[in-house]
Amino acid sequence: MRLIFLGTPDFAVPTLERMVEAGFVVPLVVTQADRPKGRGQSVAAPPVKEAAVRLGLPVYQPERIRRPEALERLREVAADGMVVVGYGQIIPQAAIDLAPLGIINVHASLLPKYRGAAPIQWAIVNGETRMGVTTMRIDAGLDTGDMLLKAEIEVGPNENAVEVGKRLAEMGADLLVETMHGLAAGTVAPQKQDHAQATLAPILKKEDGLIDWRLSARAIHNRVRGFQPWPGAYTTFRGQTLHIWESRLVAAEPRVPPGAFESRKPLMAACGAGALELVTVQLEGRKRMAAADFANGQRLTENDKLGDSHR
């Protein structure tokens, strides 16, 4: 079976690797263009490109997959089907029509819940304890196509989006191979989504990470876990941005207003309901550090408060 692969992030790499291991012929890997990355803004290849080069697969990086020259390149390959994992662009109907077996997507949610660009992050933010992956046949909508197979996992109370993403990426890779074999054998039956049950997981914005200390400790903890690696959960401290990279729920009812420090050993902040222990933080322009080291270095006073000013 000849399958064009379209993907970009780390999440997509295990699926590409598993396809090659399973014996599928991958005549072309399509990924996003190289982009500036990091503080130095040096141009870096996307993870899927690096994996494809390592596997000896041809790589194509069109600026827009819907442009005529890109569609012509896909047509020339004459593949049986296509596989999409986190490509980052909407696949047009003109591309869907090129694949006799259709275009199969590995989506990191239990559809129809969490359609969109950031399903893992929003599922964790919303406190989901069971998450998973779904293979689906792409149509012209946003993650609205027929579902094929699903697999799910339990999510721990302190697992963050990066950790869950790694587990789901491996699971999705296995599920894709199982799906393609099932389609070839005629043992996988497409199932319509119940659109009434759909929820959205929109692309993340920088401001999503700003902590509102009036929320409950659990809600803030879920944001700390969910908004990784970007935009992170952040607040302000003495007029500077303070990222909170790791937190822990504690059994405590605060005696101070939301955002104020309930204790310094361990470092705990009061929330709208409950208190949150800060474990790992990063002050603007500094490296990540243990919250205890931060507290010692800043010489906290009773007047200090998180979220004391916004830019």
Side-chain angles (χ1 to χ4, degrees):
M1 190 181 299
R2 288 167 54 84
L3 300 170
I4 294 174
F5 183 85
L6 299 92
T8 301
D10 285 315
F11 183 85
V13 171
T15 299
L16 177 59
E17 293 174 336
R18 210 66 48 84
M19 287 170 61
V20 173
E21 291 171 6
F24 295 113
V25 176
V26 183
L28 187 66
V29 173
V30 183
T31 188
Q32 299 268 31
D34 297 358
R35 308 284 189 203
K37 186 178 181 181
R39 288 189 175 183
Q41 291 293 285
S42 57
V43 176
V48 162
K49 178 181 180 179
E50 294 178 343
V53 170
R54 172 166 43 82
L55 294 167
L57 302 174
V59 176
Y60 179 46
Q61 296 176 273
E63 279 296 329
R64 291 287 179 267
I65 194 65
R66 62 177 58 252
R67 289 180 179 170
E69 61 272 21
L71 294 172
E72 182 58 31
R73 180 70 182 273
L74 298 180
R75 184 180 294 108
E76 290 172 352
V77 174
D80 300 309
M82 303 185 202
V83 171
V84 174
V85 187
Y87 175 55
Q89 294 183 28
I90 298 294
I91 308 299
Q93 188 64 48
I96 297 172
D97 293 339
L98 295 176
L101 293 179
I103 301 182
I104 310 305
N105 175 231
V106 178
H107 185 72
S109 82
L110 298 172
L111 289 170
K113 296 185 74 173
Y114 301 106
R115 296 172 176 173
I120 296 173
Q121 292 91 333
W122 286 113
I124 292 177
V125 167
N126 289 337
E128 299 285 359
T129 58
R130 297 197 68 82
M131 295 169 59
V133 289
T134 306
T135 50
M136 58 167 282
R137 184 170 270 132
I138 281 182
D139 62 13
L142 178 64
D143 301 325
T144 56
D146 291 350
M147 301 177 295
L148 300 170
L149 293 177
K150 291 184 180 182
E152 62 181 78
I153 59 171
E154 289 189 9
V155 177
N158 294 312
E159 277 192 284
N160 64 41
V162 174
E163 294 164 341
V164 174
K166 289 178 180 178
R167 290 211 284 151
L168 292 182
E170 296 294 334
M171 179 178 286
D174 291 334
L175 196 67
L176 184 279
V177 172
E178 182 182 351
T179 298
M180 299 312 299
H181 285 319
L183 288 173
T187 57
V188 173
Q191 179 182 356
K192 296 290 184 184
Q193 294 191 43
D194 180 356
H195 301 305
Q197 300 297 317
T199 61
L200 295 180
I203 191 168
L204 295 173
K205 305 184 297 295
K206 175 66 176 178
E207 53 266 32
D208 289 327
L210 180 63
I211 295 172
D212 181 350
W213 291 100
R214 296 169 297 181
L215 296 174
S216 70
R218 184 172 297 277
I220 295 172
H221 178 61
N222 288 342
R223 279 166 161 73
V224 172
R225 297 191 301 129
F227 290 142
Q228 295 197 34
W230 190 89
Y234 61 92
T235 184
T236 52
F237 173 76
R238 296 177 183 171
Q240 291 184 293
T241 299
L242 178 71
H243 271 84
I244 300 173
W245 292 111
E246 187 180 359
S247 59
R248 186 179 295 124
L249 291 172
V250 293
E253 283 303 322
R255 299 157 295 178
V256 294
F261 292 108
E262 174 66 20
S263 74
R264 289 158 180 77
K265 292 183 179 181
L267 187 61
M268 290 196 303
C271 306
L276 191 67
E277 180 183 347
L278 309 186
V279 179
T280 306
V281 301
Q282 183 177 14
L283 192 61
E284 183 178 333
R286 309 279 185 86
K287 295 181 179 180
R288 295 189 191 191
M289 65 178 66
D293 295 336
F294 166 79
N296 290 335
Q298 294 298 321
R299 298 183 180 180
L300 300 179
T301 71
E302 292 183 357
N303 295 324
D304 283 320
K305 185 179 178 183
L306 297 174
D308 53 0
S309 65
H310 301 298
R311 296 183 176 187

